[in-house]
Amino acid sequence: MENTDNGHPELEALHEQAALLKKKLDQETIVSEEVLRKTMSRKVRTINAQAITSGIAAVVVIAFAIFYFPTLGLSTYFSIGTIVMMLICVFFTLKYHKNVNAKSMGSDLVSVAKIMKKLKTDYMNWLKYGFAMAIGWATWFCIELRIASGTWHEALSTVIAVVVGLFLGGFIGFRMHKKVVNTCDEIIDSVKRENG
């Protein structure tokens, strides 16, 4: 007995429905991936906006080191040290964000997840170095102020202003750091859900 659909309208109808269902599922998968990629692109822009903000903050600090620090009587070594520290920060920010762009986000989802995991790891590791540099810089700054002022009493108001500035800057920097890490997690989770 030959197993064909000829003469069996019910089987033909089932095959047509199965083909239609498969086509619909394929279209839904394509739409789902397109939505995911648009969401990832938006999140990548958020991540890179944090990097740009960090770069702008570094330029402001470098300008302070060049134009304002000498008026406080701070040494040229301290100004140069501050500039070098900011350039190191900019270098590592650029290095970490090198693969976070539209082209790499257009690659397969597993590669996107790997890029985001690496960025998150880099940011978590950088936090340790950032704190160490900030503490070293703040200590050096207080010593420089003490030398420039002659006494701790004269330097105290500037030291207090610097400590408040460091706390505010640290708070803002930590929030930016957390935003990048959380956005990386969101992208990684989205990819996991998409891949099942």
Side-chain angles (χ1 to χ4, degrees):
M1 184 166 161
E2 203 173 288
N3 192 9
T4 64
D5 296 345
N6 295 343
H8 300 296
E10 298 88 16
L11 287 176
E12 285 180 33
L14 277 174
H15 281 297
E16 286 174 14
Q17 287 176 355
L20 186 64
L21 183 61
K22 184 181 180 319
K23 186 178 176 185
K24 234 178 161 180
L25 286 172
D26 288 344
Q27 287 173 341
E28 284 180 19
T29 301
I30 291 167
V31 168
S32 174
E33 188 168 330
E34 284 176 7
V35 169
L36 175 62
R37 290 203 182 272
K38 281 181 185 173
T39 303
M40 285 191 315
S41 293
R42 195 169 53 249
K43 290 178 191 263
V44 164
R45 283 194 297 273
T46 300
I47 288 171
N48 286 333
Q50 302 304 312
I52 291 167
T53 304
S54 296
I56 291 168
V59 168
V60 169
V61 172
I62 288 170
F64 265 81
I66 294 169
F67 300 110
Y68 183 64
F69 288 0
T71 65
L72 294 175
L74 305 180
S75 72
T76 304
Y77 294 115
F78 179 72
S79 295
I80 291 170
T82 301
I83 293 167
V84 168
M85 184 179 78
M86 288 296 102
L87 291 175
I88 289 170
C89 292
V90 168
F91 170 78
F92 279 103
T93 300
L94 291 173
K95 181 182 175 194
Y96 294 159
H97 286 257
K98 180 179 70 171
N99 291 323
V100 183
N101 54 49
K103 184 180 176 188
S104 61
M105 292 301 111
S107 60
D108 65 283
L109 294 176
V110 174
S111 297
V112 170
K114 283 180 183 173
I115 291 167
M116 289 298 110
K117 282 179 184 173
K118 178 159 180 15
L119 181 65
K120 178 184 174 182
T121 301
D122 289 341
Y123 261 71
M124 296 307 289
N125 289 336
W126 177 250
L127 196 59
K128 295 177 265 187
Y129 304 121
F131 274 130
M133 283 197 311
I135 290 168
W137 181 88
T139 304
W140 191 6
F141 187 76
C142 290
I143 292 167
E144 286 280 333
L145 279 175
R146 164 66 176 84
I147 293 167
S149 301
T151 66
W152 279 115
H153 181 67
E154 291 175 26
L156 188 60
S157 60
T158 309
V159 168
I160 291 170
V162 168
V163 169
V164 169
L166 277 173
F167 275 110
L168 283 173
F171 176 75
I172 292 167
F174 186 73
R175 281 187 57 128
M176 289 170 59
H177 172 273
K178 193 167 170 43
K179 190 169 189 174
V180 169
V181 169
N182 288 344
T183 306
C184 288
D185 282 337
E186 289 169 14
I187 292 173
I188 292 164
D189 291 343
S190 298
V191 169
K192 280 182 185 170
R193 280 195 303 272
E194 182 68 19
N195 286 341

